[in-house]
Amino acid sequence: GGSLNAQLSSGAAAADGLAVRHQGWGAGQVGVSGDTLSYEGVPIGTITGSGSWVLGVVFGPDASLEAVQAAARAIALDNGSQAVASGVRVVRLVLDDGDGGTSSPVFRGIRVTGVNDAPVITTPAAAGSALVAIDENTLDVTTVRATDADGDGLAFRIAGGVDAALFAIDARTGKLSFV
């Protein structure tokens, strides 16, 4: 059997890596289970370096030309960051036929567009309830806190509800109080 080497060669961010995208086990599909690579449900090779800048596939005897081509097309960018940097990542691919023949490198660009993730309110009530208990005749209710995976600045506001007119929120600090 031969091997396929894929390497991020330029434009990569620190959190970037390469992986083989699992498509399924059916006709024409590439399947991934652990480090085993399959094509149409038949194991065809072993994956090394998944999630890193260098990905390798060592093909076994059941790897047909069609299966190798499908595996090469299934190589994808893997980035676990919530704040993915936009740009083009260039991947270098080299195929070895297992008999001493090695292809010339092929370079392919992957255009990445970061997506703005919605902020997440973290207080009050980390358990998911918006219930806050306060003493009678108290104006201050709580301070709403939130995080944004993209690092964007946050601005708080009351977006509606039957009792919205009874509350005020400081847009900068998240301090919620009765009016």
Side-chain angles (χ1 to χ4, degrees):
S3 64
L4 175 65
N5 177 278
Q7 179 177 353
L8 283 165
S9 63
S10 66
D16 287 345
L18 295 172
V20 179
R21 184 180 62 247
H22 175 78
Q23 300 166 341
W25 308 109
Q29 293 183 321
V30 173
V32 177
S33 178
D35 63 354
T36 300
L37 177 66
S38 297
Y39 181 69
E40 297 183 339
V42 177
I44 61 165
T46 303
I47 303 167
T48 60
S50 189
S52 70
W53 283 24
V54 178
L55 175 79
V57 177
V58 177
F59 294 106
D62 291 324
S64 65
L65 175 61
E66 182 182 11
V68 171
Q69 289 172 335
R73 288 186 194 109
I75 293 174
L77 187 70
D78 180 23
N79 184 309
S81 172
Q82 288 295 314
V84 177
S86 296
V88 175
R89 281 38 164 202
V90 177
V91 179
R92 177 183 183 266
L93 299 163
V94 176
L95 186 63
D96 180 310
D97 67 6
D99 291 323
T102 302
S103 71
S104 296
V106 174
F107 296 87
R108 293 290 182 252
I110 300 173
R111 181 171 306 282
V112 177
T113 303
V115 175
N116 187 15
D117 295 307
V120 176
I121 294 176
T122 57
T123 59
S129 169
L131 180 63
V132 176
I134 60 169
D135 292 332
E136 187 176 11
N137 296 321
T138 302
L139 290 179
D140 293 337
V141 177
T142 190
T143 299
V144 178
R145 289 183 175 52
T147 60
D148 186 84
D150 301 310
D152 297 332
L154 298 173
F156 297 93
R157 69 183 173 89
I158 297 172
V162 176
D163 295 329
L166 301 176
F167 295 94
I169 192 164
D170 185 297
R172 188 179 55 79
T173 66
K175 183 178 178 184
L176 181 67
S177 58
F178 287 109
V179 289

